[in-house]
Amino acid sequence: MAPFAFDPELKQVARPLFAQRDALGPTQMLVWAARSPFLQKNRPAMVDFMEDAIRVVRWYLDPAHHDEAAQIAAKLTKQRPELFAGWLFTNKEYSRSPDLLPDLAALQSNIDAQRELGFLKGPIDVQKYADLSIARDAAARLK
C-alpha cells in the first residue's frame, strides 16, 4: 500500500504477500457525493469547484511537476522527499482520471463484492446514482 510499499528501507526487509488488486480486481475507493437538490441549487458553483479540482489534479499528474509535487507531499507528511520519487502521482501508485471521472465499473464491482461478503444488505446500482455531468462540464472548460 502506497506510500509504504515504495519505501526502499521497507523493501529491504519485507515483501508483499498479495495486492488488493489480486483480491478485488480494479478498485474505485473514493468518490465525491452530494444530494441532487444541493447540486441543482449550486450547479454553477459546483462546476467552478470541479474545474479548480481538475486543474490541480492535472498539475500534479504532469511529469514536469513531479519533483515539486514530491516536495509538497514531503512537507505535508513530514517525510523525506526521496520517499515519493518515481511513483507519486504516476500509475505506479493509483490510477487517476485527469478529468476526475470515477471508474464506475470498478466501483460497481467493489460494491458487489462487499455485498457478497455480507457487508451490505442489498444491491446498489451505481449507474442509478451517478451523474458525471458536473465533472464533464468542468473538464470541457479546460480543453
Side-chain angles (χ1 to χ4, degrees):
M1 178 129 195
F4 310 106
F6 300 107
D7 186 336
E9 293 175 22
L10 181 60
K11 282 183 166 185
Q12 291 178 359
V13 297
R15 67 179 178 81
L17 298 176
F18 62 90
Q20 180 175 296
R21 179 179 288 274
D22 297 337
L24 295 173
T27 56
Q28 175 68 52
M29 294 298 208
L30 302 173
V31 295
W32 286 349
R35 294 184 180 269
S36 293
F38 174 85
L39 294 175
Q40 291 165 0
K41 178 181 174 188
N42 299 291
R43 184 175 180 83
M46 293 306 299
V47 174
D48 288 347
F49 170 79
M50 285 301 295
E51 180 183 351
D52 292 343
I54 291 168
R55 186 177 285 110
V56 167
V57 165
R58 288 180 181 180
W59 184 91
Y60 275 101
L61 292 176
D62 185 338
H65 303 135
H66 183 268
D67 291 344
E68 189 175 355
Q71 290 292 333
I72 292 168
K75 185 176 180 179
L76 287 170
T77 61
K78 297 179 178 30
Q79 299 289 323
R80 12 180 247 291
E82 301 81 44
L83 181 61
F84 302 102
W87 65 268
L88 185 66
F89 298 113
T90 70
N91 284 336
K92 291 179 185 176
E93 176 198 17
Y94 302 107
S95 179
R96 289 181 178 82
S97 162
D99 292 338
L100 287 178
L101 296 172
D103 182 341
L104 295 181
L107 180 59
Q108 185 67 61
S109 176
N110 301 155
I111 288 173
D112 293 345
Q114 289 178 53
R115 181 166 183 240
E116 290 170 19
L117 293 169
F119 295 116
L120 299 173
K121 291 180 181 178
I124 298 173
D125 180 2
V126 170
Q127 291 292 335
K128 180 179 174 184
Y129 300 100
D131 177 2
L132 304 180
S133 65
I134 289 176
R136 288 189 176 120
D137 290 352
R141 290 182 181 180
L142 298 172
K143 300 274 177 189

